[in-house]
Amino acid sequence: MGFNKTESNNQKRLLDATDILHQVQVDVQNLKANMATVQSQVKTSQTPRIGFTSTISKDVVNLGDNQVIRFDTVYTNEGGDYNHLTGIFTCEIPGLYAFYVHTLAEPGKHLETEITKNLRTMANTYAYDKEAFSSGSNMAVMILQKGDTVLVRSHGSAHSHNGSVIDYWYTSFSGFLIAP
């Protein structure tokens, strides 16, 4: 009789241990799932690094009406959204962005430029001095969707057309993602 009681206790302990092992396996699976969820959330919560700074490599001469100003010297282009061949920033990551332009007009030259979003004016600059270099700058903060474009161009025909108009050394265009 003692043997059956011992065998019965061992079977009970074995069943209890099996239940505990099963519960541990379920807990481990739940922890793995939770860890995968947290890792995914951490990945998506990190702000993508998008930003550029560019200048022009030579004076802009004979500026046309609504001419895109191609900032062809790129110092930073994190994310690769700015195209130095076209002068156009094309948004890949939707979000809130800031863009800044600074221009330097040659002495006696009248210069108006604009920052555009999908060719819609978002900010203007103005520069003119009869005898000295003059500067114009402005900033625009805007919400962009994937595929939206931002560029700087001459504002209509409101600028000098002949000769060297924009001095390259102090003219720049920058933009960056504030928040996705």
Side-chain angles (χ1 to χ4, degrees):
M1 218 185 240
F3 179 71
N4 285 342
K5 189 173 184 180
T6 303
E7 187 177 317
S8 175
N9 284 341
N10 287 342
Q11 285 179 347
K12 185 175 188 290
R13 285 184 192 150
L14 183 59
L15 288 175
D16 289 345
T18 304
D19 286 346
I20 291 170
L21 178 61
H22 181 268
Q23 186 58 47
V24 166
Q25 289 172 332
V26 168
D27 290 346
V28 165
Q29 290 302 321
N30 287 337
L31 287 172
K32 284 181 180 179
N34 288 342
M35 183 190 283
T37 301
V38 167
Q39 286 173 331
S40 175
Q41 289 171 343
V42 165
K43 250 185 202 177
T44 58
S45 71
Q46 293 174 345
T47 301
R49 292 169 39 135
I50 306 293
F52 72 95
T53 292
S54 55
T55 62
I56 54 178
S57 61
K58 59 186 178 197
D59 290 358
V60 175
V61 297
N62 303 324
L63 187 62
D65 296 346
N66 295 311
Q67 178 181 326
V68 175
I69 300 169
R70 192 171 57 85
F71 295 82
D72 59 341
T73 302
V74 178
Y75 294 101
T76 304
N77 194 10
E78 191 70 31
D81 292 357
Y82 178 74
N83 184 328
H84 72 281
L85 299 174
T86 63
I88 299 172
F89 176 90
T90 303
C91 177
E92 288 297 320
I93 308 269
L96 182 66
Y97 285 81
F99 294 92
Y100 178 80
V101 64
H102 180 83
T103 59
L104 187 67
E106 296 282 343
K109 299 293 181 167
H110 174 236
L111 176 63
E112 289 186 40
T113 64
E114 58 190 9
I115 299 173
T116 70
K117 171 186 171 183
N118 300 326
L119 299 179
R120 185 175 145 246
T121 302
M122 301 298 288
N124 293 300
T125 71
Y126 176 83
Y128 174 77
D129 188 293
K130 186 175 180 178
E131 298 176 9
F133 286 95
S134 59
S135 63
S137 59
N138 210 337
M139 181 177 183
V141 175
M142 58 188 87
I143 296 173
L144 297 180
Q145 300 301 321
K146 182 178 173 77
D148 284 346
T149 59
V150 177
L151 56 87
V152 175
R153 67 180 181 181
S154 58
H155 180 72
S157 61
H159 57 274
S160 298
H161 289 80
N162 298 322
S164 182
V165 178
I166 302 175
D167 184 81
Y168 78 95
W169 191 250
Y170 297 100
T171 298
S172 64
F173 178 37
S174 298
F176 57 92
L177 174 65
I178 297 170

